């Protein structure tokens, strides 16, 4: 019963982290849309987007309150509640500033007023985000983020195969936002550690993900979106795109594994039972970015029929090399079987005798 209670609490904690991961992603978008409508002097759109902005603010406060209910850090909870109260108080003021600007879009004073509230809102959201991150377990956050990025990567590959430029661009933007958030959270967490090998490895993995892996992926996305828009589908290399998408997921996994290297065996063991199935499921999905093996096989078969003959020959040559290497490896391993060579046979009997002699 105790174990079931702990498992249930862990699942509830991850559900809360899931809400945090979604709600605190691209928090400035509703504000920017509202300001753009106000600068254009479109009062009707300002009223429409003010509702969206207010709902966004309410969602931030709701999720922050939910995170407080799952945390036992009294100081952190007080900080989150204070920051959430500031967001609630500031939201109607931002909306009023947008309405004033929409009524007088050419007024310099109205624009400066809007800029002041924009800066204040961004600062308060940053404070709330950092406060929520402080009471949220980073292990749960990374596990949830990894799952979301895997899902988004699958959507990107599907959009690539269907030549859907809008979905591809939108989903890639979500991936970029999530990876940036992961890197920010991890680097903030590492500030609590002294300089050592563990900290260096975690920070390095986050830097590689942010400065290299995600930039390469976004570049591939831009090429694909432009090619689909211009009708030049042949300019897109599906294999390179899928490889860059896979590297994004592997980069997230590497960051998470690096963080877990600093955990004790007991901490990792407590999570292993629940996550074992998730890990295997993730591995099976990332192998082909599909939902099941038959769909993966069919997708691969369709893609291979579209490849140039030169690529097919290169793959066939690599397969032959792999078969040769595998055969040599199997022979090497077979030499060290219990009955495969004289040395093993000679040493086997004394080892068995010692098992009975030694206490």
């Amino acid at each position: 019963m105790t174990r079931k209670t702990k498992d249930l609490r862990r699942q509830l904690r991850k559900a809360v982290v899931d809400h945090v991961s979604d709600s605190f992603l691209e928090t400035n978008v509703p504000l920017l849309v509202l300001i753009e409508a106000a600068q254009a002097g479109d009062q009707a759109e300002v009223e429409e987007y003010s509702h969206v902005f207010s709902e966004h603010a309410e969602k931030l406060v709701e999720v922050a309150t939910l995170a407080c209910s799952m945390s036992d850090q009294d100081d952190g909870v007080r900080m989150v509640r204070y920051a959430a109260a500031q967001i609630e108080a500031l939201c109607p003021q931002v909306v009023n500033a947008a309405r004033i600007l929409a009524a007088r879009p050419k007024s310099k004073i109205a624009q400066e007023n809007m800029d002041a509230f924009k800066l204040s809102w961004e600062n308060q959201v940053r404070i709330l985000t950092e406060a929520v991150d402080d009471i949220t377990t980073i292990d749960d956050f990374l596990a949830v983020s990894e799952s979301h990025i895997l899902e988004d990567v699958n959507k990107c590959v599907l959009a690539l195969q269907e030549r859907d430029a809008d979905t591809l661009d939108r989903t890639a933007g979500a991936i970029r936002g999530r990876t940036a958030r992961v890197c920010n959270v991890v680097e903030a967490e590492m500030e609590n550690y002294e300089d050592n090998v563990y900290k260096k490895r975690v920070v390095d993995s986050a830097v590689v993900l942010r400065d290299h892996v995600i930039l390469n992926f976004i570049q591939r996305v831009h090429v694909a979106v432009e090619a689909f828009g211009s009708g030049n589908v042949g300019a897109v290399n599906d294999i390179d795109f899928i490889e860059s998408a896979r590297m994004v997921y592997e980069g997230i996994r590497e960051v998470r594994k690096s963080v877990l290297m600093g955990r004790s065996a007991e901490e990792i063991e407590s999570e292993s039972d629940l996550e074992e199935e998730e890990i295997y499921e993730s591995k099976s999905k990332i192998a082909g970015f599909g939902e099941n093996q038959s769909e993966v096989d069919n997708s691969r078969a369709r893609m291979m029929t579209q490849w140039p003959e030169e690529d097919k020959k290169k793959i066939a040559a690599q397969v032959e090399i792999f078969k040769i290497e595998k055969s040599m490896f199997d022979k090497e391993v077979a030499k060290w079987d219990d009955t495969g060579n004289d040395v093993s046979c000679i040493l086997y009997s004394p080892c068995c005798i010692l098992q009975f002699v030694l206490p």
Side-chain angles (χ1 to χ4, degrees), residues 285-314:
K285 286 184 178 181
I286 198 64
F289 301 105
E291 295 300 326
N292 55 60
Q293 191 59 40
S294 61
E295 292 181 0
V296 171
D297 293 339
N298 293 336
S299 177
R300 287 176 175 173
R302 288 194 300 270
M303 290 178 60
M304 290 184 67
T305 58
Q306 300 174 0
W307 290 348
E309 289 297 326
E310 183 179 355
D311 290 342
K312 293 180 181 179
K313 291 179 181 179
K314 289 181 180 179

Side-chain angles (χ1 to χ4, degrees), residues 224-351:
V225 170
E226 291 179 359
F228 296 160
S230 62
N232 186 18
V233 179
V236 180
N237 189 321
D238 288 6
I239 300 176
D240 288 346
F241 183 94
I242 293 175
E243 178 63 17
S244 67
R246 185 186 68 83
M247 291 302 296
V248 172
Y249 177 70
E250 291 297 330
I252 289 291
R253 284 187 64 85
E254 180 61 29
V255 171
R256 186 185 174 202
K257 287 191 295 184
S258 298
V259 171
L260 291 177
M261 288 293 291
R263 302 293 182 262
S264 64
E266 291 78 9
E267 290 174 324
I268 297 178
E269 180 68 21
S270 65
E271 298 285 344
S272 60
D273 294 337
L274 287 176
E275 293 188 352
E276 184 175 1
E277 294 183 1
E278 296 177 6
I279 292 173
Y280 284 122
E281 183 180 359
S282 297
K283 287 183 177 179
S284 63
K285 286 184 178 181
I286 198 64
F289 301 105
E291 295 300 326
N292 55 60
Q293 191 59 40
S294 61
E295 292 181 0
V296 171
D297 293 339
N298 293 336
S299 177
R300 287 176 175 173
R302 288 194 300 270
M303 290 178 60
M304 290 184 67
T305 58
Q306 300 174 0
W307 290 348
E309 289 297 326
E310 183 179 355
D311 290 342
K312 293 180 181 179
K313 291 179 181 179
K314 289 181 180 179
I315 293 174
Q318 292 293 331
V319 170
E320 291 300 325
I321 294 174
F322 171 76
K323 289 181 179 179
I324 295 173
E325 293 290 340
K326 182 178 182 301
S327 178
M328 295 174 63
F329 174 76
D330 291 339
K331 291 179 181 179
E332 184 68 22
V333 172
K335 292 195 312 184
W336 301 101
D337 187 70
D338 288 345
T339 59
N341 60 78
D342 295 337
V343 176
S344 296
C345 292
I346 293 171
L347 295 177
Y348 182 73
S349 296
C351 288

Side-chain angles (χ1 to χ4, degrees), residues 41 57 66 94 127 131 154 187 249 253 301 327 334:
L66 194 60
V94 174
I127 292 172
N154 287 330
E187 289 177 346
Y249 177 70
R253 284 187 64 85
S327 178

